[in-house]
Amino acid sequence: MKAFAISLFTSLAMLLSACGGGSSSSIPVTTNPPAEPSPNAPAEPVAGEGDIRVLSNRADLISGGDALVEVVAADPALLEGAVVRLGDNEITGQLSVTDAGSLKGLIDGLVLGANQLSVELADASVLKRTIMNHPHGGPVISGPQIQPWQCTNAAAVDAQCNQPAEYRFKYVPADKLQTLLTNFDPQNPGLPGAFQSYDPANPPAQDEIAQITTDAGVEVPFIVRMEEGVQNRDRYLIMSLYQPDQPWTAVSPQPQWNGKLLIHHGGNVGVSYGMGNPPQGDIAGTAPEGAELLLGDSITTALGRGFMTLSTAQGNLGHNANLVTAAESLMMGKERIVEQYGEIRYTIGTGCSGGSITQQHVANAYPGIYQGLIVQCSYPDVWTTATQFADYNLLSQYFGNQLPSDPQGFQQVVTQLLSSGVIPAVQWSAFYGHLPLNPLVSDLAFFPAAYPDQDSCPGLQDGVTVYDAQEAPDGLRCGLLDYMKSQFGLREAAVWSANEQMLSRGFGGIPLDNVGVQYGLGALQNGVITGEQFLKVNREIGGLSVDIDYQPERTVADSRTLKNAYRTGAINTAEHLANVPIIDLRGPDPGIAHDAYHSWQMRARLERAQGHADNQVIWYGPAPLFGDTIYTTEALLVMDLWLSEIETDESALSLGDKVREHKPVYARDRCLSVSSLVGPEGAIVPLSGNLLYPTPILPGLDLSLLPTAPPEAGVVVDALTGQVCGLDLSELPVVSDIPVLGDLLGTVADLLSPITDPLVGLQQTVVQTRFGTPRTVAGDSIETLTNKCQLKPVDPADYPTALDPEGFAAQVAEIFPQGVCDYSKPGVGVAPTETWLQYGDAQNVIYGGEALPGEAASSRQGWASPAFGVGIQ
């Protein structure tokens, strides 16, 4: 048999050689001439001169089976009689001719994956575009979705929670005061909401509905349609002024929509394994129904001006801490608006606390979703804030500054208080960098979301076992780290805990670290604490394990996770924010975890990344946390003015330069909301909520009758009140139109500086509550971008001379054998944020993400006006 095989192989080799199949043969090879094309074969079509623009999203990120497209030709006459095909199906009838001479329409019937859209022009040339369609239930860019997931909508038609959109209507009554008095219930006290239910089949009398005139001068009844549906496995809400008896299509919107969009967000930080509700209120979505009259409401104001509004459950950080999924949900929401309502001119975000984090993270890592940000009680991101709160937690455990959970716990707390070696309350701030209440509140409000063994895992359906290190090590890890594992990556085997080794898989990695951190160093240098107190705290402070449990050893970051936290934008390095105006609204907070430091923290990061912070303004006011009840409304007016000026700039300036060039005088650092009396559209009375604006609740009261003051008057008000808030007079802008007054202010500032300068720091701390953090006390800068520091040898020069620096340094070196933090160097793993990363699909995860492939400039142009450059990403 073997001999036969050899013989057969030899024969085949000879045959191949004779036919030219042997590449090493020296025998000339004769090849057949190419076949003549069949006379009946169709000729390859010539590429046409023009473009197919996918307006509602990037052509490779479309979801839900439809897309708004526009066909343009170099010669519009070639579109006459053009034939449009999706694959082999003709869909010409889905597009119509626009006034600009293009073809535009919503095409549907897209299959999952690649779809070939072609247009045969009148000269037989052809335009082509490939559209990648993704599931309506996601994912598009976020990778494998969180599992398990519980659908809580009764109308769900599949496991992705998909359902048809639902619509309902509300209206604003013509007489708000009468509505307030009529609807007040002594048994259930509270204020009625701004809107009342509207039934198109049985509407109220026309004179009972308020009339509203939009910023474009269109007058309509104040009736709002609320579209509530499900995308990406969770709920969204779209609201707009709507005339129920009139049609609305993406090609022909109703005239009262001004093309602008406001996205509002919720607060807090957390995880969930089931559907949530999109926030419906302002100020982080926490204001109760009706409170907008007293607490302000930019949402109602925006609707009345002709804006559309959007909110998504996945865009609410308190419900979903996975910020890539948040960006994905907002992307899909904007796509739906463009496809169902029309193209957007620009988008403004608003939100407090967690809502500020979502905005600032998404704007930096997924530019183009927002064109302007209004952030309140803000933080720059989750994961440097997590470092601050983790330090608080460790210090509070050491000090005994905790609330006991039971009588035995009370005894333990008292024991800890007496044995910490630090004078309770008096010296705590020396280590915290903050008043003691803040660490306690942060532990109660935010830190539990980090635990993988949460007793009550939000949204989790019954019967799913949650992780317990002893009882259920293979259970669901319900915490922030594992919720972010696609972005952060899994821990490497070299550092696995006993449970990870038993399971043969790593948990979500840790981007936090306190190796080398000298807690209380600044306090030691200033003589607030003793050397012995400093040594004892740093010797015993310990750290956190992968289970977020206390351990005697310091917390060690996972190197890959740390790098991914920076490159994915989870740690906000602010490189991509220069194109986005930011108005930061801030009020005093002595101890509930939202002090003003974070506004200036973000400013320092902007200055580091882009060399300036001209695109960020800070408004400080007397109302705790958010500055003033009118700030969200006034900031909307100023941001709208700012963006509208940018929108009209057709010059070759970069977008960042346009942001700086068109910054209105109202967009300036301010303290005390008395400057609101000189606003862009007349006076807005401080601390009056929405009682007086946009329409006073008292009939006949019309603030627009008051004389309008010039914008520069507000600058004068700022100058006169500046030192009350700790702002430096010399930093206020010179009044360009009144140079003599500007020079006078500068002279006054110079004369008063010897008196005012020593007070500024104290005012900033006491009035503005610009406190520090444990890391700034340890030597980090206000940017606090260092989640893990580079180390240096212990240096005696860092310690007071009264301590015998050489001998003291030797004791410090025993605690820190690897060295101590060198904050003069960049943190370990620090890298620029990479934009528009994707994380795979439902089957495959790309840990840490990878860049989307290049895409032509003709995608996503419906997201914003050309001046904002969204279509060229």
Side-chain angles (χ1 to χ4, degrees):
M1 184 66 183
K2 181 177 180 181
F4 173 76
I6 294 174
S7 175
L8 179 61
F9 177 79
T10 303
S11 300
L12 287 173
M14 293 175 63
L15 180 62
L16 286 171
S17 177
C19 295
S23 60
S24 61
S25 172
S26 60
I27 301 175
V29 177
T30 303
T31 59
N32 295 323
E36 292 291 333
S38 169
N40 297 323
E44 186 70 21
V46 176
E49 294 186 11
D51 197 8
I52 300 175
R53 299 170 178 171
V54 183
L55 303 176
S56 48
N57 203 345
R58 276 180 54 134
D60 55 348
L61 301 181
I62 290 294
S63 62
D66 52 9
L68 185 69
V69 302
E70 182 176 26
V71 182
V72 295
D75 180 2
L78 294 177
L79 293 177
E80 296 180 10
V83 178
V84 184
R85 291 185 177 87
L86 182 60
D88 295 329
N89 299 321
E90 182 180 341
I91 59 167
T92 308
Q94 294 184 16
L95 279 70
S96 57
V97 179
T98 69
D99 293 339
S102 63
L103 295 177
K104 184 186 293 186
L106 180 67
I107 64 170
D108 56 21
L110 300 174
V111 300
L112 290 179
N115 294 261
Q116 185 71 45
L117 183 63
S118 63
V119 180
E120 183 178 345
L121 303 177
D123 63 355
S125 64
V126 176
L127 305 174
K128 293 182 179 180
R129 169 72 62 180
T130 299
I131 298 177
M132 294 296 296
N133 178 46
H134 301 263
H136 184 77
V140 180
I141 59 174
S142 63
Q145 295 176 311
I146 294 294
Q147 297 292 348
W149 188 259
Q150 182 175 197
C151 298
T152 57
N153 53 331
V157 297
D158 56 28
Q160 292 292 87
C161 314
N162 288 315
Q163 69 163 72
E166 298 175 345
Y167 303 93
R168 56 192 177 98
F169 294 85
K170 290 190 173 185
Y171 76 100
V172 174
D175 190 336
K176 292 182 181 179
L177 181 61
Q178 180 64 32
T179 301
L180 174 63
L181 297 176
T182 302
N183 290 0
F184 181 76
D185 182 2
Q187 302 299 321
N188 185 25
L191 295 174
F195 294 98
Q196 306 295 308
S197 295
Y198 177 96
D199 181 2
N202 187 27
Q206 187 172 355
D207 61 357
E208 295 179 7
I209 303 173
Q211 294 289 307
I212 194 73
T213 302
T214 69
D215 59 11
V218 179
E219 184 177 3
V220 290
F222 205 149
I223 301 171
V224 170
R225 188 177 81 163
M226 306 174 71
E227 177 188 332
E228 297 168 288
V230 173
Q231 284 182 318
N232 210 21
R233 303 191 306 171
D234 222 332
R235 297 180 176 94
Y236 69 86
L237 171 65
I238 297 171
M239 296 191 290
S240 61
L241 283 176
Y242 204 93
Q243 300 179 67
D245 58 345
Q246 300 294 322
W248 188 326
T249 68
V251 176
S252 182
Q254 291 187 5
Q256 70 276 4
W257 183 34
N258 58 20
K260 306 170 189 177
L261 177 65
L262 179 71
I263 301 178
H264 49 106
H265 304 81
N268 213 312
V269 58
V271 301
S272 182
Y273 290 81
M275 298 176 73
N277 291 310
Q280 296 193 30
D282 215 334
I283 308 180
T286 58
E289 180 77 2
E292 63 269 11
L293 283 173
L294 301 177
L295 297 181
D297 179 21
S298 63
I299 299 171
T300 304
T301 301
L303 288 168
R305 293 176 65 82
F307 279 70
M308 190 170 292
T309 69
L310 167 70
S311 66
T312 72
Q314 290 289 308
N316 176 5
L317 191 72
H319 170 67
N320 168 47
N322 188 317
L323 288 160
V324 176
T325 311
E328 182 176 60
S329 76
L330 297 175
M331 174 188 74
M332 295 172 78
K334 290 192 71 168
E335 179 185 330
R336 178 162 182 86
I337 287 172
V338 174
E339 290 168 355
Q340 301 300 321
Y341 295 90
E343 297 166 65
I344 302 169
R345 291 169 56 191
Y346 48 77
T347 299
I348 300 171
T350 185
C352 167
S353 189
S356 70
I357 293 175
T358 300
Q359 289 183 73
Q360 294 185 128
H361 168 274
V362 170
N364 191 52
Y366 293 90
I369 289 179
Y370 304 99
Q371 280 66 61
L373 310 181
I374 300 171
V375 296
Q376 298 169 274
C377 34
S378 69
Y379 299 98
D381 59 49
V382 170
W383 293 100
T384 53
T385 304
T387 294
Q388 176 185 352
F389 289 168
D391 285 344
Y392 282 163
N393 180 270
L394 292 172
L395 287 168
S396 293
Q397 288 193 64
Y398 174 82
F399 296 145
N401 180 23
Q402 297 174 296
L403 292 179
S405 57
D406 51 49
Q408 291 75 22
F410 180 80
Q411 182 178 358
Q412 181 180 356
V413 167
V414 172
T415 301
Q416 193 72 14
L417 286 171
L418 298 176
S419 62
S420 69
V422 173
I423 302 174
V426 175
Q427 290 182 312
W428 286 345
S429 295
F431 290 92
Y432 288 138
H434 201 290
L435 299 180
L437 181 60
N438 195 26
L440 188 62
V441 171
S442 69
D443 268 1
L444 293 172
F446 307 121
F447 207 73
Y451 297 132
D453 53 354
Q454 296 179 41
D455 292 335
S456 179
C457 187
L460 193 63
Q461 58 197 29
D462 293 339
V464 178
T465 302
V466 175
Y467 176 85
D468 182 277
Q470 283 73 44
E471 303 297 328
D474 59 343
L476 173 73
R477 287 176 61 85
C478 183
L480 294 176
L481 293 177
D482 292 271
Y483 211 74
M484 291 287 290
K485 63 185 179 183
S486 292
Q487 289 77 53
F488 288 171
L490 304 178
R491 281 160 47 91
E492 296 175 311
V495 297
W496 281 357
S497 64
N499 281 339
E500 289 171 292
Q501 293 176 30
M502 180 187 67
L503 297 170
S504 297
R505 59 179 172 85
F507 297 150
I510 304 173
L512 311 180
D513 193 284
N514 68 344
V515 174
V517 176
Q518 299 185 81
Y519 292 100
L521 178 61
L524 174 69
Q525 294 169 337
N526 294 328
V528 179
I529 61 174
T530 68
E532 192 56 42
Q533 289 172 323
F534 172 83
L535 293 172
K536 189 173 188 299
V537 169
N538 281 286
R539 188 180 297 116
E540 300 177 11
I541 187 68
L544 299 171
S545 72
V546 70
D547 291 339
I548 316 299
D549 289 332
Y550 174 79
Q551 62 182 22
E553 302 80 23
R554 297 277 181 126
T555 310
V556 179
D558 297 300
S559 60
R560 181 167 55 190
T561 294
L562 190 65
K563 292 176 183 177
N564 285 341
Y566 286 103
R567 66 183 296 272
T568 63
I571 295 176
N572 192 343
T573 47
E575 288 90 358
H576 310 293
L577 292 176
N579 294 343
V580 185
I582 304 170
I583 300 180
D584 189 312
L585 312 178
R586 180 65 71 177
D589 171 23
I592 49 178
H594 292 83
D595 57 85
Y597 148 77
H598 295 288
S599 295
W600 279 270
Q601 176 191 31
M602 191 68 210
R603 171 160 295 182
R605 294 186 186 185
L606 291 169
E607 291 172 341
R608 172 185 177 274
Q610 58 196 36
H612 67 86
D614 295 342
N615 59 312
Q616 184 217 35
V617 296
I618 300 173
W619 290 0
Y620 180 84
L625 304 189
F626 51 82
D628 198 295
T629 60
I630 62 169
Y631 268 177
T632 53
T633 294
E634 187 181 5
L636 175 69
L637 303 180
V638 173
M639 183 61 71
D640 191 18
L641 175 63
W642 198 343
L643 296 179
S644 67
E645 292 294 323
I646 296 171
E647 183 184 31
T648 61
D649 189 339
E650 299 179 355
S651 72
L653 285 174
S654 69
L655 179 54
D657 286 340
K658 291 179 182 180
V659 169
R660 301 170 73 178
E661 180 73 19
H662 296 288
K663 183 177 180 180
V665 69
Y666 304 103
R668 64 184 183 276
D669 284 354
R670 288 169 36 182
C671 67
L672 295 187
S673 50
V674 65
S675 290
S676 300
L677 294 169
V678 186
E681 297 193 9
I684 304 180
V685 180
L687 299 172
S688 63
N690 271 25
L691 291 172
L692 302 176
Y693 188 92
T695 54
I697 193 170
L698 295 175
L701 183 62
D702 188 355
L703 296 181
S704 66
L705 298 177
L706 296 175
T708 302
E712 292 76 15
V715 181
V716 177
V717 172
D718 290 340
L720 296 175
T721 61
Q723 287 300 317
V724 176
C725 301
L727 293 175
D728 189 345
L729 282 172
S730 65
E731 294 297 319
L732 293 173
V734 174
V735 184
S736 57
D737 292 343
I738 315 178
V740 176
L741 180 57
D743 293 340
L744 178 61
L745 289 175
T747 302
V748 171
D750 292 339
L751 291 174
L752 292 179
S753 62
I755 301 172
T756 59
D757 286 353
L759 297 176
V760 169
L762 180 62
Q763 290 170 332
Q764 288 174 346
T765 300
V766 175
V767 179
Q768 283 191 336
T769 67
R770 284 202 230 175
F771 299 111
T773 74
R775 296 297 168 99
T776 61
V777 175
D780 200 358
S781 70
I782 188 175
E783 297 165 18
T784 49
L785 270 171
T786 302
N787 270 28
K788 180 179 178 63
C789 65
Q790 294 193 54
L791 300 177
K792 66 176 183 177
V794 175
D795 186 353
D798 289 339
Y799 310 107
T801 55
L803 291 176
D804 176 18
E806 292 290 341
F808 190 79
Q811 296 182 72
V812 174
E814 292 177 3
I815 300 171
F816 299 100
Q818 298 173 285
V820 295
C821 285
D822 184 354
Y823 287 113
S824 68
K825 297 178 180 178
V828 177
V830 175
T833 297
E834 298 181 28
T835 62
W836 283 97
L837 297 182
Q838 60 170 328
Y839 296 86
D841 54 30
Q843 287 74 41
N844 303 298
V845 59
I846 302 171
Y847 289 115
E850 68 179 15
L852 288 167
E855 175 67 14
S858 57
S859 282
R860 200 188 272 155
Q861 292 188 4
W863 275 25
S865 296
F868 297 102
V870 174
I872 62 175
Q873 294 177 26

